[in-house]
Amino acid sequence: MSEWYKFESFCELNCEHSLPAYSLLVEFYFYSMLDNGRGASINMASSAIKYVHNSNSISSPTDHPEVKQSTKECQKHWKKNRKRLKRDPFPLEALKIYSSCRPSDTSEFEFLQNIALVANCFRGMMRGGEIVKCTGECITFEDDNSVVVWDLGVTKTDREGCDSRVPIDKGLDNSPTCPITSIKNYEKLYIKKFKHGFKKSKNIFVNEDGSPLKTDDVREIVQQMIRFAGRTEKCGAHSLRSGGATQAAKEGLSLPEIKAIGRWKSECVLRYIHAVVGVGKRLSKLMNL
């Protein structure tokens, strides 16, 4: 339902009601999505708006003839003029370098949060938008804190929330990038700052003032790590998901294992890992080349 939340934010910014929303507002929203390079998400936004309205027994503005026509025009324009930006998988080395030395312009709170967010998102092959929406009820520590379980609820590919649990095990001892160690380090500072732990929190990942992080914030965190490490990859929030899959493939995990961990329903994960599997298996030597 992230597209609905984005529409709500848009309505709030423009001092308009999101429920019920009037047709002209929805048209304006779709054109603004197009202007902001989000034309590929117009279909999902339309579905989200329709779903929420219908769930509340309200006629959806997306059924209005003019909105339908505007939607088609936006999609047609997007398909004709889109420029697919290359997004590289996030490299683990960037996280390692970043965690070894706090940048001078980053507070300790931001520093520990950034490491915890990226380490867990990377290991769990999660989308940036999935982890930042997690509340205190979404995180559970099990087996004497050797496993952290994230419950993502309804996601982009799991509209029923049936496959929402993401268990993550402990990494290397004394490693700041270990998912468990990093989230525990962050929680200690979180408690010191807000006087309560995650369980009583509306949002786990927040700004210094307590406002929740958004997907755009995850993208900036990822790009900050890339810059700090002196690397040239073009990464966004989604690069953590592809980066986790790529790293797992390098370490020899099979396609079914990667699909299970990352909750992929299709073979689209192959576009992330196809270039590294042969190299990881030392295929040239195996082929006697």
Side-chain angles (χ1 to χ4, degrees):
M1 293 296 291
S2 62
E3 287 300 333
W4 170 254
Y5 300 137
K6 290 175 184 176
F7 178 64
E8 278 189 316
S9 297
F10 172 83
C11 293
E12 184 178 348
L13 186 64
N14 288 276
C15 301
E16 299 285 358
H17 293 292
S18 58
L19 191 69
Y22 59 91
S23 58
L24 189 60
L25 176 66
V26 174
E27 286 186 82
F28 180 45
Y29 178 60
F30 288 164
Y31 282 112
S32 71
M33 290 179 67
L34 190 64
D35 289 340
N36 290 315
R38 297 191 60 241
S41 299
I42 288 176
N43 253 346
M44 289 188 291
S46 179
S47 297
I49 293 169
K50 181 175 180 131
Y51 174 81
V52 173
H53 277 76
N54 290 347
S55 296
N56 287 274
S57 301
I58 300 173
S59 177
S60 174
T62 57
D63 292 331
H64 193 283
E66 291 185 3
V67 176
K68 287 184 177 180
Q69 182 60 34
S70 296
T71 304
K72 289 181 180 179
E73 289 176 359
C74 286
Q75 290 171 334
K76 182 179 179 180
H77 181 83
W78 169 253
K79 290 178 181 178
K80 183 178 179 180
N81 299 287
R82 64 186 173 185
K83 294 181 180 179
R84 293 194 175 276
L85 298 176
K86 183 177 181 292
R87 285 291 177 260
D88 298 316
F90 180 80
L92 178 59
E93 187 63 24
L95 173 61
K96 296 282 189 182
I97 294 173
Y98 178 88
S99 65
S100 66
C101 179
R102 174 160 64 94
S104 59
D105 60 348
T106 303
S107 70
E108 185 181 10
F109 180 82
E110 291 175 318
F111 180 62
L112 294 181
Q113 175 178 245
N114 292 350
I115 296 172
L117 189 155
V118 170
N120 280 269
C121 200
F122 183 89
R123 165 57 180 83
M125 303 178 198
M126 292 181 264
R127 301 174 183 87
E130 292 174 343
I131 197 167
V132 292
K133 74 174 186 179
C134 287
T135 67
E137 296 178 351
C138 298
I139 185 171
T140 305
F141 294 97
E142 299 180 351
D143 297 334
D144 295 327
N145 292 329
S146 63
V147 173
V148 60
V149 179
W150 296 88
D151 192 338
L152 303 180
V154 175
T155 64
K156 177 181 177 181
T157 54
D158 184 13
R159 297 302 176 89
E160 303 299 325
C162 299
D163 191 23
S164 62
R165 284 169 55 85
V166 182
I168 298 178
D169 56 341
K170 187 174 175 58
L172 299 173
D173 291 337
N174 302 317
S175 170
T177 60
C178 161
I180 307 293
T181 300
S182 63
I183 197 67
K184 282 293 185 182
N185 288 342
Y186 169 53
E187 186 177 28
K188 289 178 183 177
L189 210 57
Y190 189 100
I191 293 171
K192 184 178 180 180
K193 186 176 185 66
F194 297 110
K195 311 306 179 187
H196 60 77
F198 291 153
K199 282 302 179 182
K200 294 183 179 180
S201 304
K202 186 175 181 180
N203 294 95
I204 292 175
F205 297 106
V206 297
N207 294 299
E208 293 275 6
D209 62 1
S211 60
L213 293 187
K214 298 181 179 180
T215 305
D216 286 346
D217 296 314
V218 179
R219 180 174 65 248
E220 177 53 37
I221 290 169
V222 166
Q223 292 175 352
Q224 180 188 5
M225 288 188 179
I226 293 293
R227 292 192 298 268
F228 187 79
R231 301 183 67 98
T232 59
E233 285 88 351
K234 296 179 180 179
C235 292
H238 199 77
S239 295
L240 295 175
R241 179 165 166 81
S242 59
T246 301
Q247 185 66 26
K250 287 180 179 178
E251 300 304 326
L253 265 70
S254 67
L255 177 60
E257 288 172 328
I258 294 173
K259 286 180 65 176
I261 294 167
R263 305 161 312 285
W264 274 281
K265 308 299 182 186
S266 69
E267 303 298 318
C268 66
V269 65
L270 286 171
R271 68 172 178 250
Y272 302 136
I273 67 174
H274 72 89
V276 302
V277 173
V279 175
K281 296 293 185 181
R282 305 293 187 267
L283 186 55
S284 293
K285 289 185 178 180
L286 291 175
M287 295 172 67
N288 295 315
L289 291 174

